[in-house]
Amino acid sequence: MCGRFVITSAPEALRQLFGYIEQPNFPPRYNVAPTQPIPVVSVENGARHFRLMRWGLLPGWVKDPKGFTLLINARSETVLEKPAFKKAIRRRRGLIPADGYYEWKAIDGRKQPFFIHHADGAPLSFAAVFETWIGPNGEELDTVAIVTAAAGEDLATLHDRVPVTISPRDFERWLDCRSDEVDAILPLMTAPRIGEFVWHPVSTRVNRVANDDDQLLLPISAEAMEAEAEAAKPKKIARKVAAGSVDDGQGSLF
């Protein structure tokens, strides 16, 4: 799956890569989380545009978003059939610019975060589907989910799901929603090639959404990992025994 990601490339570099008309200026983000506004590239009237959408898709038929599950990912295997996604995958596909993402792996009973990125350091483009939810008072909210696929042999050592990434040569094919046909985009919804991504462990500071700085991306040593694991253990509170108390073997109700 994909539950946190990073955007560090310069705004103009991303504009050149994705080819959208707008010229947004935004700071680097090192810990993007669900429910936050994230950049999405889509095609409108034949041109690519940059829009901010809430990460967590809301289908148009949802009446009360408070009681609806947050859909941050859409599984490629079922995206064509699931009621929440089956219209969006045909008519509302987008790309999410990123420079990497985080994944957590269970190690010795604790979850260790890893930062995952392109082996060559190039930006990523997550495959996405989006919907505009219209509330009872006419309010509109653009919402989006990242498409995921079963992980390849290498990335499966971290997690069994990975975000689908679209190559720049396939941007046009993925974004073309002029018809309901999806045959052309089905081959794109797969895991990255083996060796395309690399990763390293990072500090558990990333677990806290409020932490959003470049230190989150730095590799963490084995010693530092152990120190964080030790610090996270619950502290035992010693009980003081009252002076003169003796266990006579009879037990007590108090």
Side-chain angles (χ1 to χ4, degrees):
M1 64 175 293
C2 182
R4 300 278 182 86
F5 68 93
V6 171
I7 310 174
T8 57
S9 290
E12 183 56 27
L14 291 178
R15 180 173 179 263
Q16 292 296 324
L17 175 63
F18 288 89
Y20 43 78
I21 296 174
E22 294 76 12
Q23 300 182 47
N25 186 21
F26 47 87
R29 294 291 311 281
Y30 300 94
N31 200 4
V32 181
T35 73
Q36 294 178 347
I38 63 174
V40 180
V41 180
S42 61
V43 170
E44 300 174 24
N45 300 320
R48 294 182 190 176
H49 292 273
F50 175 104
R51 298 167 59 188
L52 291 178
M53 302 186 187
R54 191 198 75 156
W55 187 9
L57 186 140
L58 277 176
W61 41 263
V62 171
K63 301 300 181 183
D64 182 9
K66 293 181 180 179
F68 190 75
T69 303
L70 191 65
L71 301 176
I72 65 172
N73 293 156
R75 296 174 68 94
S76 60
E77 299 89 342
T78 58
V79 70
L80 294 176
E81 292 81 31
K82 289 288 185 180
F85 305 120
K86 65 181 183 180
K87 290 184 178 180
I89 189 62
R90 294 178 180 275
R91 304 298 297 176
R92 289 173 288 278
R93 295 190 296 272
L95 296 169
I96 297 174
D99 287 273
Y101 68 100
Y102 299 103
E103 194 55 81
W104 282 256
K105 179 181 180 180
I107 299 177
D108 297 330
R110 58 186 176 82
K111 289 188 175 181
Q112 174 62 45
F114 288 79
F115 176 57
I116 306 166
H117 58 94
H118 260 153
D120 62 4
L124 315 178
S125 50
F126 295 145
V129 291
F130 61 90
E131 286 281 7
T132 299
W133 180 79
I134 302 177
N137 298 319
E139 64 271 31
E140 295 186 0
L141 180 64
D142 294 326
T143 66
V144 64
I146 295 173
V147 180
T148 67
E153 183 179 350
D154 54 351
L155 285 167
T157 60
L158 297 180
H159 197 278
D160 62 352
R161 305 293 300 178
V162 294
V164 170
T165 52
I166 305 298
S167 169
R169 65 175 178 272
D170 295 316
F171 282 1
E172 184 174 355
R173 180 157 46 136
W174 177 259
L175 293 173
D176 186 0
C177 298
R178 289 174 294 182
S179 71
D180 286 341
E181 296 300 322
V182 293
D183 291 347
I185 58 108
L186 294 180
L188 303 180
M189 293 192 291
T190 58
R193 301 185 309 276
I194 293 177
E196 186 176 351
F197 282 76
V198 294
W199 56 88
H200 59 259
V202 295
S203 171
T204 53
R205 290 184 61 244
V206 74
N207 295 352
R208 190 165 183 264
V209 174
N211 293 328
D212 189 355
D213 57 77
D214 58 1
Q215 299 299 300
L216 298 179
L217 305 184
L218 297 180
I220 187 172
S221 67
E223 292 78 9
M225 287 171 58
E226 289 297 328
E228 288 190 343
E230 189 65 29
K233 290 181 179 178
K235 300 296 186 292
K236 293 183 179 180
I237 302 176
R239 292 179 56 189
K240 292 184 178 180
V241 180
S245 65
V246 178
D247 182 2
D248 59 6
Q250 299 301 311
S252 174
L253 292 177
F254 307 99

